[in-house]
Amino acid sequence: MNRVGLVARRARSVLLAVASLSTSGPAFAAGGPSVFGIPLEFILFALTLLGVALFHNQTLRVALTGLAAITAYKLVFTGFKAGPGFGGLISHFGHEWVILTNLLGLLLGFALLSRHFEKTHIPAVLPRFLPHDWKGAFILLVMVFVLSSFLDNIAAALIGGAMAHTLFRAKVHVGYLAAIVAASNAGGSGSVVGDTTTTMMWIAGVSPAAVFHAYVAAIVALVICGIPAALQQHKYSPIIRHEHSYIRIDWLRAGIVALILISAIVTNVIINVEFSEISDSFPFIGAAVWVAILLSVPVRRPDWELLPEATKGSIFLLSLVTCASMMPVEQLPAASWHSAFGLGFISAVFDNIPLTALALKQGGFDWGMLAYTVGFGGSMIWFGSSAGVALSNMYPEAKSVGNWLRHGWHVALAYVIGFAVLMLTLGWDPGHKRGELPAPSVPAATAPAVTAPSAPAKAAESAGDAVDLLKKAY
């Protein structure tokens, strides 16, 4: 009965969330079935996310089933933005293939990069510098935060979990596990190479500078949840005191990590600044990462054995992103700080990857604020982010929503306080929609009033006036 009740509550919450998004916006376009005014594709998408949240061992199958159902529905009833039928489907993928291929290249490439970093032995050296009290536990969280800024947040969480397993004699408090996940998600929120969500924004054309201010909220949130979690861990199992044996750092592997990251960043800057007209024609960033990986093979062999499992996880994420790309986001309400704040709580239950894809397709968000909310918000429940799922596989005792919420209460508190600080200091600063340029503004004091033409004969005159106004504005 408890399981049935949980399913019912989650189903009701997701449908209410979708309804709140839909009913506050303009009327949906006619031509497709709807339930209580909600287009059926939104309901199918919500059910797919619900299935992912409930069936953690079948996520790939659920995602592919949802993608097949949404695709079939669009083929039969509504068509695609590019047109109806299979022609519209082919045109849709013709528009999305660069983003999807870039994301696939980065996901697989960063999986190999993370293993390269682990084998540098740098994570094994870091605990040498930790104090032997609660401050040591807190500094470990800071290390996870920093690692996540240039590694994938999943890798940072797993490295933090492995260090905690050694330092605390395999006795790690659930509240501290929640803080490790929160630190990894917070550290990646302001970096375009630190989290899949921010990498998606980067690929979509969002400047790295546009997400960097997420650190204003993320640093505050790290302190708010990190100190209580460190005190919990110190009381539960203090950090061990021992002399660390000599560990030799593999600087060649460290150089490979730097090469891969620099290749991705430099390629993205050059393509989007110097050759922006061809940026949507080829997956340059993903290709650059793989060129760097292949060039490094004679120096250090990558762990190719990781690729089969990483490919499965990548296909799962790409399926959800593709589902999100088929949603009629023009029917959603305008982006606002209210919706960004709410997405943080939704991402605690549903995967933040498709939520980010929806936001990118809609446009108009403050990308730094969104990066913080969908990133850190996923830490509030263990399955709300990929980092949480990965760490919970290492520590099965964390796979309890009740224990996570009871002992990790400080994560939700930190999310709210971090968001409040970001709003009070920097406020809401929305970016533009994908591919949309800012319109020229005319100073209010000098712009003459323009009234709508009362007859078709005045259309040419009004058009000429508009052109003159634009020239004056420039």
Side-chain angles (χ1 to χ4, degrees):
M1 292 297 292
N2 291 337
R3 180 72 172 178
V4 174
L6 179 62
V7 173
R9 286 194 297 273
R10 288 184 179 173
R12 184 166 59 250
S13 66
V14 69
L15 291 176
L16 287 174
V18 173
S20 67
L21 286 173
S22 60
T23 55
S24 59
F28 288 102
S34 63
V35 179
F36 299 111
I38 305 173
L40 195 58
E41 55 256 70
F42 275 115
I43 296 177
L44 291 174
F45 185 47
L47 292 175
T48 301
L49 297 181
L50 181 64
V52 169
L54 291 175
F55 305 107
H56 303 292
N57 295 326
Q58 303 292 331
T59 52
L60 177 58
R61 185 175 299 176
V62 170
L64 291 175
T65 301
L67 176 60
I70 292 171
T71 302
Y73 169 78
K74 302 286 281 186
L75 284 171
V76 174
F77 292 102
T78 64
F80 301 87
K81 190 172 183 180
F86 285 100
L89 177 63
I90 294 173
S91 297
H92 177 78
F93 280 107
H95 180 265
E96 298 289 333
W97 81 272
V98 172
I99 292 178
L100 295 175
T101 307
N102 256 330
L103 187 56
L104 176 63
L106 289 175
L107 289 171
L108 297 178
F110 282 0
L112 298 178
L113 178 145
S114 298
R115 182 56 60 89
H116 270 309
F117 182 75
E118 290 178 34
K119 288 190 172 183
T120 63
H121 304 304
I122 292 176
V125 173
L126 294 178
R128 292 181 181 177
F129 309 100
L130 299 178
H132 295 100
D133 56 9
W134 70 269
K135 293 187 289 295
F138 177 73
I139 294 176
L140 177 57
L141 296 176
V142 175
M143 289 180 175
V144 172
F145 181 98
V146 174
L147 288 176
S148 185
S149 67
F150 62 91
L151 286 179
D152 183 81
N153 61 330
I154 301 174
L158 291 177
I159 291 172
M163 289 192 292
H165 188 274
T166 300
L167 293 172
F168 302 119
R169 305 177 185 87
K171 293 180 61 179
V172 185
H173 196 276
V174 173
Y176 192 74
L177 292 174
I180 291 176
V181 174
S184 67
N185 288 331
S189 64
S191 167
V192 293
V193 295
D195 192 289
T196 305
T197 55
T198 53
T199 301
M200 289 171 60
M201 295 179 190
W202 188 34
I203 294 172
V206 176
S207 167
V211 301
F212 187 77
H213 63 279
Y215 281 137
V216 172
I219 292 174
V220 172
L222 174 67
V223 174
I224 296 297
C225 76
I227 292 177
L231 292 171
Q232 284 176 324
Q233 180 59 48
H234 184 67
K235 182 178 180 181
Y236 183 66
S237 178
I239 194 170
I240 62 175
R241 298 170 180 267
H242 67 84
E243 293 295 326
H244 297 276
S245 59
Y246 175 75
I247 299 174
R248 182 172 178 271
I249 296 177
D250 189 340
W251 291 110
L252 284 177
R253 284 194 187 271
I256 291 172
V257 171
L259 172 66
I260 296 172
L261 291 174
I262 292 172
S263 298
I265 294 172
V266 170
T267 301
N268 185 57
V269 171
I270 292 176
I271 292 298
N272 284 288
V273 173
E274 300 294 335
F275 306 100
S276 58
E277 66 277 2
I278 62 171
S279 61
D280 292 335
S281 62
F282 185 79
F284 292 100
I285 307 173
V289 166
W290 275 94
V291 168
I293 290 173
L294 294 176
L295 288 176
S296 68
V297 170
V299 181
R300 290 289 186 272
R301 176 187 177 274
D303 283 4
W304 301 116
E305 298 80 9
L306 290 174
L307 289 182
E309 194 63 31
T311 300
K312 285 203 247 179
S314 300
I315 293 174
F316 159 69
L317 294 177
L318 292 176
S319 299
L320 295 181
V321 171
T322 305
C323 289
S325 71
M326 295 182 182
M327 296 298 107
V329 294
E330 65 277 1
Q331 308 297 339
L332 294 175
S336 67
W337 70 265
H338 306 86
S339 57
F341 181 66
L343 282 174
F345 290 99
I346 296 175
S347 69
V349 181
F350 304 110
D351 194 280
N352 56 7
I353 303 297
L355 297 177
T356 304
L358 277 176
L360 281 169
K361 189 179 178 187
Q362 183 184 10
F365 278 90
D366 180 330
W367 301 116
M369 183 177 291
L370 181 73
Y372 168 73
T373 58
V374 298
F376 194 87
S379 313
M380 288 188 274
I381 298 179
W382 70 268
F383 55 77
S385 71
S386 300
V389 173
L391 191 65
S392 297
N393 288 333
M394 183 184 292
Y395 295 92
E397 64 270 21
K399 292 185 177 182
S400 168
V401 174
N403 285 337
W404 193 278
L405 293 175
R406 183 167 65 255
H407 298 297
W409 55 269
H410 36 71
V411 176
L413 177 65
Y415 171 75
V416 175
I417 294 177
F419 184 88
V421 170
L422 181 59
M423 276 296 298
L424 291 174
T425 55
L426 299 181
W428 170 255
D429 184 18
H432 304 292
K433 295 183 179 180
R434 285 175 53 186
E436 182 180 272
L437 296 176
S441 59
V442 180
T446 61
V450 179
T451 57
S454 57
K458 296 183 179 180
E461 181 181 351
S462 298
D465 291 341
V467 171
D468 290 336
L469 283 176
L470 291 177
K471 288 180 180 179
K472 291 177 181 178
Y474 280 113

